Amino acid sequence: MSVVALAIGVVVLTSIAGLSHNRLSQVRLSAAELQDRWGSHSCQQMLLRDAGRLLQQEEGGLIGKAEREFRFELAGQRMFARLADENQKLDLNLMLRAKSVSEVERVIDQWSTTELRAGLSLLPEANRRSRTEDGLECWDQVWLLLPGYDTQEFVIGSRRLTLWGNRVHLFADDKLVRETVGKWVGPLAVERLLQARNEVAAGGASANGSVTVQDVVQRADLNERDRGIVTNLVTQRSVSYSLWLSLVEGSRTRSSLCVREGVPVGNDQIVERIHGFRW
């Protein structure tokens, strides 16, 4: 009887030890996740909140930097951050309003810096229909994550693409302005817009101290239809920013994305929306 009791005792103690080990592992995992979230939240508060100032050119100018990278260590974790101006990127949701899915896929493959292939046409038909109304909401809807690749490809691929720009900056790269506006007003009107932009900038700022879209549209002498379109698609002030965070833990890298999106609602008013994603 004593041998049986001893055997039962050993089994019970072994089970308790196993449970304790599992709970300890869970506690450690929870602590790591909490530290991860705390670090990500701290960076978002520190960098995304002051994005406009952090991307401002040292010598001033009519447009800030398109992006800026930071590398640092926080709470013992190595972190990589990329802060970017979403108004200096090609907005795929704007593209989908003017182009077919196959055309937008070609644009993605041309503008993307990732090896992943655009997979918009492979989304379910129901999603494709709703996408034209609600827009693409996450990079998982854009690229096919192939075996052997991880979500760092999203970080790489989105350097020149966005889902949250809504408008393109007036002084963004000429190629970007042509791609964003050209489908709506035609190539001739875009070239007149770019020429007028450069002429107004060379002539000095307007009365309020900056070059405005209205200044440029007036000088470009666009027709009424094109003036309305350009006013809705182009901005002289960046209002949307993104922050990619990559936390390096040994051989593993965890990525998160936070977007501060400025949504125009008319009369030069902007409503701010915050989007967060973790992989």
Side-chain angles (χ1 to χ4, degrees):
M1 180 67 70
S2 60
V3 173
V4 173
L6 181 61
I8 293 174
V10 170
V11 170
V12 170
L13 289 174
T14 302
S15 299
I16 292 174
L19 288 172
S20 299
H21 177 74
N22 290 338
R23 287 176 180 173
L24 180 59
S25 298
Q26 291 175 357
V27 168
R28 286 174 177 169
L29 180 60
S30 298
E33 290 178 348
L34 180 62
Q35 183 171 313
D36 178 6
R37 291 178 182 273
W38 176 81
S40 298
H41 180 72
S42 299
C43 289
Q44 290 165 7
Q45 290 292 312
M46 180 175 61
L47 300 177
L48 199 55
R49 179 186 56 199
D50 295 326
R53 180 180 60 83
L54 291 170
L55 291 173
Q56 190 174 22
Q57 299 281 10
E58 294 181 2
E59 65 276 12
L62 297 167
I63 190 171
K65 298 176 182 178
E67 66 178 31
R68 186 175 174 185
E69 296 182 352
F70 303 86
R71 296 178 186 273
F72 48 90
E73 188 170 302
L74 185 64
Q77 293 180 309
R78 287 186 296 139
M79 305 185 74
F80 164 80
R82 176 178 291 133
L83 182 67
D85 181 348
E86 299 298 285
N87 295 114
Q88 293 191 55
K89 298 182 180 182
L90 185 64
D91 190 325
L92 297 181
N93 285 316
L94 289 180
M95 293 292 98
L96 281 169
R97 296 177 195 170
K99 298 174 181 284
S100 68
V101 169
S102 59
E103 286 179 310
V104 175
E105 284 190 325
R106 286 194 293 271
V107 169
I108 292 171
D109 289 335
Q110 290 168 1
W111 282 72
S112 173
T113 50
T114 177
E115 296 180 5
L116 299 181
R117 184 172 65 85
L120 301 187
S121 60
L122 298 181
L123 289 176
E125 186 64 30
N127 287 358
R128 202 178 308 165
R129 285 197 299 270
S130 65
R131 190 178 60 243
T132 58
E133 301 170 3
D134 304 327
L136 292 163
E137 298 177 344
C138 184
W139 291 118
D140 301 80
Q141 296 177 295
V142 176
W143 288 297
L144 302 173
L145 199 56
L146 303 174
Y149 292 88
D150 59 26
T151 52
Q152 280 298 105
E153 293 297 323
F154 294 163
V155 183
I156 298 169
S158 61
R159 293 191 72 170
R160 298 199 296 166
L161 299 172
T162 183
L163 307 179
W164 306 278
N166 298 301
R167 292 177 175 176
V168 64
H169 198 290
L170 177 62
F171 287 92
D173 178 79
D174 288 4
K175 181 181 177 182
L176 175 56
V177 176
R178 289 190 182 100
E179 189 71 62
T180 303
V181 182
K183 187 71 175 182
W184 299 85
V185 301
L188 293 179
V190 172
E191 294 309 316
R192 289 168 63 183
L193 177 71
L194 291 172
Q195 181 179 350
R197 177 198 69 178
N198 296 336
E199 291 173 353
V200 171
S206 61
N208 65 0
S210 65
V211 175
T212 67
V213 174
Q214 288 71 25
D215 295 333
V216 174
V217 166
Q218 184 175 357
R219 188 176 185 93
D221 195 26
L222 302 177
N223 61 45
E224 184 175 353
R225 171 188 172 276
D226 290 349
R227 283 200 302 270
I229 291 174
V230 169
T231 300
N232 287 327
L233 291 179
V234 181
T235 179
Q236 71 267 9
R237 181 170 65 94
S238 292
V239 293
S240 296
Y241 300 95
S242 68
L243 179 66
W244 275 107
L245 286 177
S246 298
L247 281 72
V248 182
E249 298 177 339
S251 60
R252 182 187 177 192
T253 299
R254 290 195 275 182
S255 300
S256 65
L257 169 65
C258 188
V259 180
R260 199 181 92 196
E261 178 187 17
V263 182
V265 293
N267 298 324
D268 293 329
Q269 293 183 334
I270 300 295
V271 173
E272 187 174 281
R273 295 176 182 169
I274 303 296
H275 310 276
F277 309 91
R278 297 173 65 84
W279 289 276

